[in-house]
């Protein structure tokens, strides 16, 4: 999580307009939707205070992608 926040802060300070984050879901074990939503909330709550705004959360195969745009 620290690397994610550091990357988000670096992208914001460099003037990037968008930032993407995500995580992979371990398909070898049973992962509940509650656990997945908790991880999504954790990422969003860590990145938004930097100055980003979450615009989409999209599942893809065994991963989740979260897109942010710079808050104006």
């Amino acid at each position: 999580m620290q690397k994610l926040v550091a990357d988000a802060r670096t992208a914001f300070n460099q003037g990037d307009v968008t930032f993407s984050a995500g995580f992979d879901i371990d398909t070898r074990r049973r992962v509940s939707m509650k656990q997945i939503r908790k991880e999504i909330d954790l990422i969003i709550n860590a990145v938004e205070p930097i100055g980003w705004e979450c615009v989409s959360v999209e599942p893809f195969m065994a991963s989740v992608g979260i897109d942010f745009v710079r808050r104006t």
Side-chain angles (χ1 to χ4, degrees):
M1 183 62 68
Q2 292 175 348
K3 178 160 176 25
L4 174 70
V5 171
D7 290 347
R9 191 168 280 122
T10 299
F12 188 83
N13 291 337
Q14 289 177 347
D16 293 354
V17 179
T18 62
F19 178 74
S20 295
F23 60 94
D24 294 327
I25 301 168
D26 187 0
T27 57
R28 295 174 293 186
R29 56 175 264 227
R30 296 181 66 119
V31 180
S32 70
M33 284 303 296
K34 184 177 180 179
Q35 291 170 315
I36 294 170
R37 285 189 202 105
K38 185 177 178 181
E39 185 69 20
I40 291 168
D41 289 342
L42 187 66
I43 291 171
I44 291 172
N45 290 333
V47 173
E48 280 191 335
I50 296 168
W52 297 105
E53 183 175 346
C54 180
V55 291
S56 72
V57 177
E58 297 184 21
F60 180 75
M61 302 289 272
S63 64
V64 176
I66 306 170
D67 295 320
F68 297 88
V69 294
R70 179 181 281 274
R71 196 177 288 144
T72 57

